[in-house]
């Protein structure tokens, strides 16, 4: 009887083990059926273009004149044709809108001349704390002059050199935008937009170097913003150290740079 009982116990144990293994196997199968395999993030490639991708663009893309792009990497090299057709470096993507900086900077440039009517006009709508989009700041200056009873002289862009550089960006040598879809729409960035570039300065400079463009060195770049405490002062971002904001007289062009940005 004892021998028979042991045989029954062993048989029962075998059944329990078999059931447990089967249950676990079924659970694993159910779990694998309930989990969707990860889908790799890919962008559709294009052929017959200067780059390998089309929009939507991503931060770090080098954009070409035909609307195609190639992502920057430290291992990337560009052909001569790609260098000749590069138009912008995408430094930010927000709400499906890409923001890119041009390849060419302007050195020794004033925000405006001392003879410009905006030189001593307080333009509250372009104060640093309320303005994050510089695309309409020249319009804001015009409206402020009219509201103040002053002559609107923004049509004489030579009185507003930093803004003139951005508006007429296509005229600069090396921009590669003349005759393309990107000939117009360039503008002088706000301090917030300049700081967006500063945050990815290493990447932007790496891509600019590949395109043989102007790098963001340790220089002061004019924003399109005015200082809130002094009407004759405009704001700059220093592209060294921590990228702080500074102010200086609007007509002072010493060691001052300007860059142009655009939405894509």
């Amino acid at each position: 009887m004892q021998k028979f009982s042991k045989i029954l116990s062993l048989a029962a144990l075998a059944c329990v083990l078999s059931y447990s293994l089967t249950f676990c196997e079924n659970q694993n199968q159910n779990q694998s059926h309930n989990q969707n395999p990860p889908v790799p993030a890919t962008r559709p490639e294009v052929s017959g273009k200067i780059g390998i991708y089309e929009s939507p663009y991503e931060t770090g893309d080098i954009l070409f004149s035909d609307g195609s792009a190639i992502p920057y990497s430290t291992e990337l090299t560009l052909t001569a044709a790609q260098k000749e057709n590069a138009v912008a470096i995408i430094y930010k993507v927000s709400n499906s809108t890409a923001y890119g900086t041009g390849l060419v900077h302007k050195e020794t440039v004033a925000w405006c001349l001392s003879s410009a009517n905006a030189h001593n006009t307080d333009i509250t709508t372009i104060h640093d704390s309320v303005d994050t989009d510089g695309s309409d700041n020249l319009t804001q200056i015009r409206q402020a002059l009219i509201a103040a009873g002053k002559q609107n002289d923004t049509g004489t862009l030579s009185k507003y050199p930093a803004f003139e550089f951005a508006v007429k960006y296509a005229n600069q040598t090396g921009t590669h935008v003349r005759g393309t879809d990107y000939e117009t729409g360039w503008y002088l960035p706000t301090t917030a937009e300049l700081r967006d570039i500063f945050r990815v300065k290493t990447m932007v400079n790496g891509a600019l170097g590949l395109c043989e463009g102007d790098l963001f060195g340790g220089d002061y770049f004019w924003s399109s913003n005015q200082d809130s405490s002094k009407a004759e002062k405009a704001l700059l971002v220093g592209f060294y150290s921590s990228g702080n904001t500074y102010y200086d007289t609007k007509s002072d062009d010493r060691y001052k740079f300007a860059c142009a940005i655009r939405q894509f």
Side-chain angles (χ1 to χ4, degrees):
M1 285 292 292
Q2 291 180 352
K3 184 177 181 181
F4 182 68
S5 297
K6 288 180 179 178
I7 292 173
L8 286 176
S9 297
L10 289 171
L13 180 60
C15 287
V16 171
L17 289 172
S18 176
Y19 174 79
S20 297
L21 289 171
T22 302
F23 177 79
C24 290
E25 186 179 38
N26 289 336
Q27 285 292 97
N28 289 336
Q29 289 178 349
N30 288 336
Q31 288 178 2
S32 65
H33 285 312
N34 291 334
Q35 292 177 350
N36 294 322
V39 178
T42 59
R43 286 197 282 171
E45 295 190 10
V46 296
S47 59
K49 294 275 190 175
I50 301 170
I52 59 175
Y53 297 121
E54 288 186 315
S55 62
Y57 305 116
E58 296 181 359
T59 300
D61 279 355
I62 298 172
L63 180 65
F64 300 107
S65 58
D66 64 352
S68 64
I70 189 169
Y72 168 75
S73 73
T74 54
E75 295 79 25
L76 179 67
T77 58
L78 298 181
T79 66
Q82 288 175 323
K83 292 178 183 179
E84 292 170 2
N85 286 279
V87 295
I89 311 300
I90 304 300
Y91 66 87
K92 177 183 176 181
V93 178
S94 177
N95 296 324
S96 301
T97 300
Y99 297 81
T101 179
L103 308 186
V104 177
H105 300 159
K106 180 73 171 179
E107 184 178 358
T108 314
V109 61
W111 196 88
C112 73
L113 303 184
S114 58
S115 60
N117 288 334
H119 189 272
N120 296 304
T121 302
D122 185 18
I123 307 163
T124 59
T125 54
I126 61 172
H127 284 180
D128 183 47
S129 59
V130 297
D131 189 23
T132 58
D133 179 5
S135 62
D136 65 344
N137 280 6
L138 198 57
T139 299
Q140 298 290 344
I141 295 172
R142 182 184 74 239
Q143 292 173 344
L145 291 175
I146 294 172
K150 297 182 178 182
Q151 180 187 5
N152 167 33
D153 60 355
T154 59
T156 307
L157 278 175
S158 58
K159 289 190 174 185
Y160 298 84
F163 292 90
E164 181 180 34
F165 163 74
V167 171
K168 297 182 178 180
Y169 178 71
N171 293 346
Q172 305 295 317
T173 301
T175 65
H176 307 153
V177 299
R178 174 65 70 192
T180 74
D181 292 339
Y182 312 118
E183 188 169 345
T184 60
W186 298 90
Y187 62 93
L188 191 67
T190 64
T191 57
E193 290 171 316
L194 283 169
R195 285 192 292 268
D196 284 336
I197 299 173
F198 180 83
R199 291 187 188 99
V200 289
K201 174 183 172 182
T202 300
M203 179 275 295
V204 169
N205 276 346
L208 285 170
L210 284 179
C211 300
E212 299 179 358
D214 295 333
L215 306 186
F216 285 91
D219 305 302
Y220 295 97
F221 280 82
W222 281 119
S223 76
S224 54
N225 293 134
Q226 180 190 291
D227 181 47
S228 59
S229 62
K230 300 177 185 295
E232 73 277 10
K233 306 287 186 181
L235 300 179
L236 309 100
V237 171
F239 270 72
Y240 61 91
S241 185
S242 57
N244 292 331
T245 301
Y246 302 88
Y247 65 81
D248 208 339
T249 304
K250 293 175 179 176
S251 56
D252 191 340
D253 63 2
R254 295 171 300 170
Y255 317 114
K256 309 300 193 303
F257 285 71
C259 68
I261 66 172
R262 191 185 190 278
Q263 298 178 12
F264 295 94

